[in-house]
Amino acid sequence: MNKTSWQDSLGEAWEALLDTLYMVGVSFVLTVIIGIALGVLLHASAPDGIRPNRVLNSVLGTVVNIGRSLPFVILLVLLIPATRAIVGTALGATAAIVPLTIGSVPFFARVVENALREVDSGRVEAARSMGATDKDIVVKVLLPESVPGLVAGATLTAVMLIGFSAMAGAIGAGGLGDFAIKYGYQRFNTPVLFVAVVILIVLVQAIQSTGDLVVRSMAHKR
């Protein structure tokens, strides 16, 4: 078998990068939306939350802990039937969005819960004394005060999703993971495999640096 040079593989690498950006981008948006809602519920229903509910908090906490305890590779396989039911197929970048989102939501939900917990309780009590509703406290106090922590957590989540997307490539999700396996590993083509690794490293560094910059800028404004 003739090996493809790394220069000749750049076209496929570009398409793989676009697939990775697509699946990670959509999964990230869904994770942030669902994770914030779940994290708010976890914090609000805690014993020291604004609306304590032991049963709800216990159920949500158990679901989140189970989701975090499952290795992503196992989760990929377990969710194949659900992915087919939702998307119509278990292959491709769009199909990968389902396990990527489900795999990352529990992590980000805990990030949100911890960020909200760091908000000074005095601010919550002050808002409550002025007649603020639970919704007002969440929207106008808890979330705005925890933005730096949420941005830092979202950055970690985005980096984690890139790693998850590479693993998803092993079962036909496309993207850089699939490119590295198909054109590099299976063909014993180290230069092409190296190209995929370099692209992943650059992508992770870009996301992490951007997230750190945003957090630092927020810290200076506070």
Side-chain angles (χ1 to χ4, degrees):
M1 179 185 295
N2 294 326
K3 289 186 178 181
T4 303
S5 67
W6 70 267
Q7 295 95 334
D8 293 335
S9 70
L10 291 180
E12 289 82 1
W14 173 251
E15 293 180 4
L17 174 61
L18 293 179
D19 282 345
T20 294
L21 292 176
Y22 163 66
M23 70 175 87
V24 169
V26 175
S27 301
F28 176 76
V29 172
L30 293 174
T31 295
V32 169
I33 294 172
I34 301 172
I36 287 178
L38 188 55
V40 168
L41 285 175
L42 281 167
H43 177 71
S45 62
D48 57 347
I50 59 176
R51 184 67 66 174
N53 187 319
R54 187 177 63 181
V55 175
L56 177 61
N57 187 262
S58 177
V59 171
L60 291 178
T62 300
V63 171
V64 168
N65 290 338
I66 291 174
R68 292 184 63 191
S69 66
L70 288 174
F72 184 68
V73 173
I74 295 176
L75 189 65
L76 277 172
V77 177
L78 289 176
L79 289 176
I80 286 178
T83 301
R84 284 202 184 101
I86 295 171
V87 182
T89 179
L91 301 176
T94 299
I97 292 172
V98 176
L100 285 175
T101 302
I102 294 176
S104 58
V105 162
F107 172 81
F108 189 65
R110 285 299 187 191
V111 168
V112 173
E113 181 189 18
N114 291 332
L116 296 178
R117 191 177 294 156
E118 295 298 319
V119 177
D120 186 1
S121 59
R123 294 181 180 272
V124 175
E125 293 302 325
R128 181 78 76 188
S129 66
M130 291 187 292
T133 63
D134 291 343
K135 179 182 177 182
D136 291 334
I137 291 174
V138 170
V139 175
K140 298 180 180 179
V141 179
L142 291 175
L143 290 178
E145 289 293 324
S146 61
V147 166
L150 295 178
V151 172
T155 302
L156 292 174
T157 302
V159 171
M160 182 181 69
L161 279 168
I162 293 174
F164 282 176
S165 71
M167 284 187 277
I171 62 169
L176 290 168
D178 180 65
F179 169 79
I181 293 172
K182 185 183 298 182
Y183 294 95
Y185 176 75
Q186 291 182 347
R187 300 184 183 184
F188 304 99
N189 198 332
T190 302
V192 172
L193 186 60
F194 183 72
V195 168
V197 172
V198 169
I199 294 174
L200 285 169
I201 292 174
V202 171
L203 189 57
V204 167
Q205 288 297 321
I207 292 174
Q208 188 65 60
S209 298
T210 301
D212 291 343
L213 181 63
V214 172
V215 171
R216 284 197 297 268
S217 67
M218 289 180 175
H220 290 157
K221 293 178 181 179
R222 295 173 69 87

